[in-house]
Amino acid sequence: MHTKKSSYLFAIISASVLWGFFAFPLRALKNYNSGQILTWRIVIAFFIVWLIVALFKADILKKNIQILLGYSSKVRNKILVLIFISGILLTLNWFTFIYVVNHVSLKSGAFAYMVCPLITALGGNLILKEPLNRIKLVSIGIAFISIVSLATGALGEILWSVLIAVLYAFFLIIQRVVKGIDTIIMLGMQLLISLVLMLPVLWYFPQNLPYTFDFWLNVSIISIFFTIIPLLLSLYALIGLPSSTIGITIYISPMVSFCVALFYFNEVIPAGQIFYYVLLLLAVLFFNSDILWKLIFPRFNTIKS
């Protein structure tokens, strides 16, 4: 049981670390339109995911369809509506994040995922009735203090950050509600929704097809290594971890982004903000102290049980 839970935790930590380096291919596309980047990210990811489904998941797809058809119309419609909403949330989250990283600041993008876990943890508690013990509540309190302190004096950037955070937090919460569908098929359905949503945009705002190798290389990297792989890892982790733990672990991503912004892109980050980023990291460790204890001292837990 502990081994299984550790695999879920490893999956979400891996996804968070990977997302932390998203700025590298995204900044390489800074001269391109945000909508253009988003469109081809969705298109490439869509075809890759459904190719995987066609080659390796055809039987599972049939079983998932049979499961959906086996539900009552009320339950089935609820699931389909939630999947549709999750596709919308994911698409809007991607667009706002791309825009903010390339046209506002990398710090704003990182800050968004500082706010996101707080919203996810509280949302999981209020909407899904997931319990939060005193340690977790104290951790959220520490995170809240840090976030408020970081937000001082940058209202415009913070509003963008909060928007990104809310979109992704509710996406995660919906993922916890929709169960019984294979993770890669779920991602394929969400990408289908994203693609459908982008078609009217392309119709009203036609874009020239990029011809540079640099564009296609970086968009392909984004589609595979910063879309498909981390999302699949996140969806897998959601099978065995509460959304509160998933949410708080996302703090790892902005920590990595923070380091990238500071040491590679040379963004100016005041010393006071560095203190609060470190405080957030401590909140992450404190929040997940029970899981970390079981992972670090498995023998002790076996003896204790």
Side-chain angles (χ1 to χ4, degrees):
M1 182 67 180
H2 294 329
T3 303
K4 191 69 174 178
K5 197 158 189 176
S6 65
S7 69
Y8 295 134
L9 188 61
F10 177 77
I12 192 59
I13 289 175
S14 299
S16 298
V17 171
L18 197 56
W19 267 320
F21 293 99
F22 193 8
F24 285 106
L26 204 50
R27 280 290 178 92
L29 298 171
K30 190 172 184 177
N31 294 328
Y32 292 91
N33 181 275
S34 298
Q36 196 172 37
I37 299 170
L38 175 63
T39 299
W40 291 108
R41 174 189 189 183
I42 292 170
V43 169
I44 294 172
F46 172 82
F47 281 107
I48 292 174
V49 167
W50 282 105
L51 179 62
I52 294 172
V53 172
L55 293 175
F56 306 107
K57 298 274 188 175
D59 291 339
I60 297 176
L61 176 60
K62 292 177 182 178
K63 290 179 181 178
N64 283 174
I65 292 173
Q66 290 173 354
I67 290 172
L68 281 173
L69 293 176
Y71 290 132
S72 65
S73 58
K74 182 179 180 180
V75 173
R76 183 169 59 251
N77 291 337
K78 177 184 177 181
I79 292 173
L80 293 175
V81 167
L82 288 175
I83 292 174
F84 181 73
I85 293 173
S86 70
I88 295 174
L89 292 171
L90 191 61
T91 306
L92 293 175
N93 172 264
W94 285 350
F95 177 79
T96 51
F97 184 79
I98 290 170
Y99 177 82
V100 166
V101 169
N102 277 352
H103 301 288
V104 180
S105 73
L106 179 53
K107 286 190 300 179
S108 297
F111 184 80
Y113 290 97
M114 292 290 182
V115 181
C116 177
L118 182 64
I119 298 173
T120 306
L122 292 176
N125 176 255
L126 296 174
I127 298 173
L128 304 181
K129 307 302 179 184
E130 294 179 349
L132 291 173
N133 58 33
R134 290 183 180 179
I135 292 178
K136 295 183 185 298
L137 288 172
V138 169
S139 300
I140 292 175
I142 294 172
F144 180 78
I145 293 170
S146 301
I147 290 166
V148 171
S149 301
L150 286 167
T152 305
L155 182 60
E157 293 187 3
I158 297 312
L159 290 177
W160 276 110
S161 299
V162 170
L163 176 60
I164 295 172
V166 169
L167 291 170
Y168 194 67
F170 280 94
F171 167 79
L172 288 177
I173 291 171
I174 288 177
Q175 300 305 112
R176 289 288 295 168
V177 177
V178 180
K179 298 179 179 179
I181 299 177
D182 181 81
T183 53
I184 196 165
I185 292 173
M186 171 73 80
L187 178 57
M189 295 171 70
Q190 290 163 341
L191 287 168
L192 175 60
I193 293 165
S194 296
L195 191 60
V196 171
L197 290 173
M198 292 305 297
L199 290 178
V201 177
L202 293 175
W203 179 265
Y204 286 105
F205 303 100
Q207 302 169 6
N208 294 325
L209 186 67
Y211 290 102
T212 63
F213 174 77
D214 178 66
F215 177 85
W216 293 109
L217 174 63
N218 284 288
V219 169
S220 297
I221 290 172
I222 289 171
S223 300
I224 297 170
F225 295 101
F226 296 95
T227 302
I228 296 173
I229 292 176
L231 276 175
L232 288 178
L233 288 170
S234 298
L235 291 173
Y236 171 75
L238 281 164
I239 296 172
L241 294 176
S243 58
S244 56
T245 298
I246 296 289
I248 210 78
T249 310
I250 295 173
Y251 277 131
I252 296 171
S253 175
M255 292 294 177
V256 176
S257 296
F258 164 79
C259 292
V260 170
L262 180 63
F263 298 111
Y264 188 84
F265 291 105
N266 298 316
E267 290 195 3
V268 178
I269 303 176
Q273 289 188 4
I274 294 175
F275 169 78
Y276 289 111
Y277 273 84
V278 173
L279 193 61
L280 280 171
L281 178 59
L282 293 176
V284 174
L285 297 175
F286 197 39
F287 189 97
N288 290 296
S289 59
D290 54 340
I291 298 176
L292 292 171
W293 180 267
K294 292 174 183 177
L295 291 175
I296 297 171
F297 303 106
R299 293 183 180 179
F300 176 82
N301 288 279
T302 302
I303 297 171
K304 186 177 180 180
S305 60

